[in-house]
Amino acid sequence: MAGRREEPVDPAAGPVQRFAFELRKLRTDAGGITYRSLAEQAGYGVTTLSQAAAGEKLPTLPVVLAYVRACGGEEAQWQARWRQAVEESAGAGAEGEAGAESPYRGLARFETGDSGRFFGREQFTDDLLDLLRRRRFAAVFGPSGSGKSSLLRAGLIPALRHCQEPGLRPAAIRILTPGDHPART
């Protein structure tokens, strides 16, 4: 591998470091492709890709998949690894020093039971409620990791469940996730 030498990453230090270590191994197994070549193939900058394997924070899923694709790795396998690292890192950081549960979930999404810890998105929740007062259907979209699922699960759903307006309170709430083949599910 040409270029500046990377700082070593200890895979035993935690899920983020282990994930970074494995990304580096994938790049090595791909013939030691340089980050510059990797960037050309992946469509992300050299800095973004090198930080993905630095072990300081977990990269986003789109960055991981582009990195893996450029190295010739199996995307489905790496997506599963990434999800496992997200869950492990969220579990490792869920307890504070005094044993109290931290409101910060890392990259894990908030669920409907987390509404008491979900704050800072009240305006978005109110905007969605206002939209649903005027329309029967609303779509929420945005980049991966931007908080769409958390907004719906920990913001909108609890607000709808506690709403006293007869026309706004739904009889049932269903969470549908399209998956890899949305037309079949």
Side-chain angles (χ1 to χ4, degrees):
M1 286 185 248
R4 195 171 62 188
R5 198 162 166 79
E6 292 179 302
E7 293 290 321
V9 173
D10 178 9
V16 173
Q17 293 80 5
R18 182 174 58 251
F19 190 82
F21 183 85
E22 292 168 353
L23 275 178
R24 288 182 182 190
K25 183 175 181 332
L26 176 67
R27 189 169 69 91
T28 300
D29 292 348
I33 184 171
T34 65
Y35 279 114
R36 186 165 311 286
S37 296
L38 190 65
E40 290 171 7
Q41 292 179 39
Y44 284 91
V46 171
T47 302
T48 300
L49 296 170
S50 64
Q51 286 176 345
E56 294 173 9
K57 66 180 185 174
L58 199 60
T60 64
L61 183 57
V63 169
V64 169
L65 294 179
Y67 189 114
V68 167
R69 228 181 349 264
C71 290
E74 177 59 45
E75 289 182 60
Q77 177 188 27
W78 279 91
Q79 184 169 356
R81 283 182 176 184
W82 181 84
R83 291 193 191 291
Q84 180 181 359
V86 167
E87 288 186 19
E88 288 177 13
S89 61
E95 294 282 324
E97 286 181 26
E101 202 169 322
S102 169
Y104 181 66
R105 306 250 319 138
L107 293 175
R109 71 175 176 235
F110 285 86
E111 296 295 340
T112 55
D114 296 323
S115 63
R117 297 185 309 162
F118 185 72
F119 52 90
R121 301 272 179 111
E122 295 84 3
Q123 187 61 53
F124 288 125
T125 302
D126 290 344
D127 290 346
L128 278 174
L129 285 170
D130 288 341
L131 181 60
L132 290 173
R133 283 183 182 100
R134 293 178 277 133
R135 305 266 190 243
R136 292 188 64 167
F137 176 81
V140 176
F141 57 93
S144 178
S146 64
K148 301 175 301 293
S149 294
S150 294
L151 175 63
L152 294 174
R153 291 169 189 257
L156 183 63
I157 290 173
L160 288 172
R161 285 183 177 156
H162 295 100
C163 184
Q164 299 301 316
E165 296 175 50
L168 193 55
R169 188 166 185 198
I173 297 173
R174 300 285 182 260
I175 298 172
L176 304 173
T177 305
D180 293 336
H181 305 284
R184 288 188 223 156
T185 51

